[in-house]
Amino acid sequence: MLVTSRTRLHRPFQRTFSTNLRYGDAMIVPVNPDSIPASVRERTTVKHMLVFPARQSPTPDNTRIVGWVRGELSHDEYTNEVLLDPSQFIENVEFEPFLQDVLEKHIYDCPEFIKRATELGSGWMNIYDKRSRSFRTVSEDTLGSVELKDGKMVPASYTAMPTHRLMSERGELFQLSDFIKEKLDSELNGKQSE
């Protein structure tokens, strides 16, 4: 085969990362052994953790850890994007309930969902994270739902969706509106200072 500058050689490529990398709204950092719960340590070896939010100098503690990644990380050799295999992701069981508490408190003030509520009128409105490809069905991207009456969200009606996954089967990490992302960060900062 004649190899030219236009020839793309397709070969598997894997690289070990030693620096912090962005992955959606999180950052992948080398694992801190003290952050791994005994229940996870007993089952597998983890090498990296996903920390929210992505920052230049994260100071991860267990409240900010979205989950852990088994094995080595790899990246797409053409786009240089980090590739995560969802089967290698171990969710931090404390993160999703914390995220749901933040949504329950702040969803009613989120401009994006206020606008959508006025468009929909009455009934139930599903709250999707931004990776959703369909706004018509309940999926792993559905954070929860809220009751609507006359184009407004009914206070205290938010219900978490048990099917929501922090990392989808497609390997995509949850994605929040800017408003909810800021509220989550603020609440995590408050918890950290306790």
Side-chain angles (χ1 to χ4, degrees), residues 75-95:
H75 79 287
D76 182 291
E77 77 175 294
Y78 301 110
T79 65
N80 218 20
E81 291 180 6
V82 176
L83 303 174
L84 289 183
D85 178 348
S87 68
Q88 299 297 310
F89 178 72
I90 303 166
E91 188 174 297
N92 178 1
V93 296
E94 295 175 19
F95 192 86

Side-chain angles (χ1 to χ4, degrees), residues 16-33:
T16 302
F17 296 95
S18 59
T19 59
N20 300 337
L21 299 167
R22 282 189 69 104
Y23 190 77
D25 290 332
M27 183 170 283
I28 301 172
V29 298
V31 74
N32 171 356

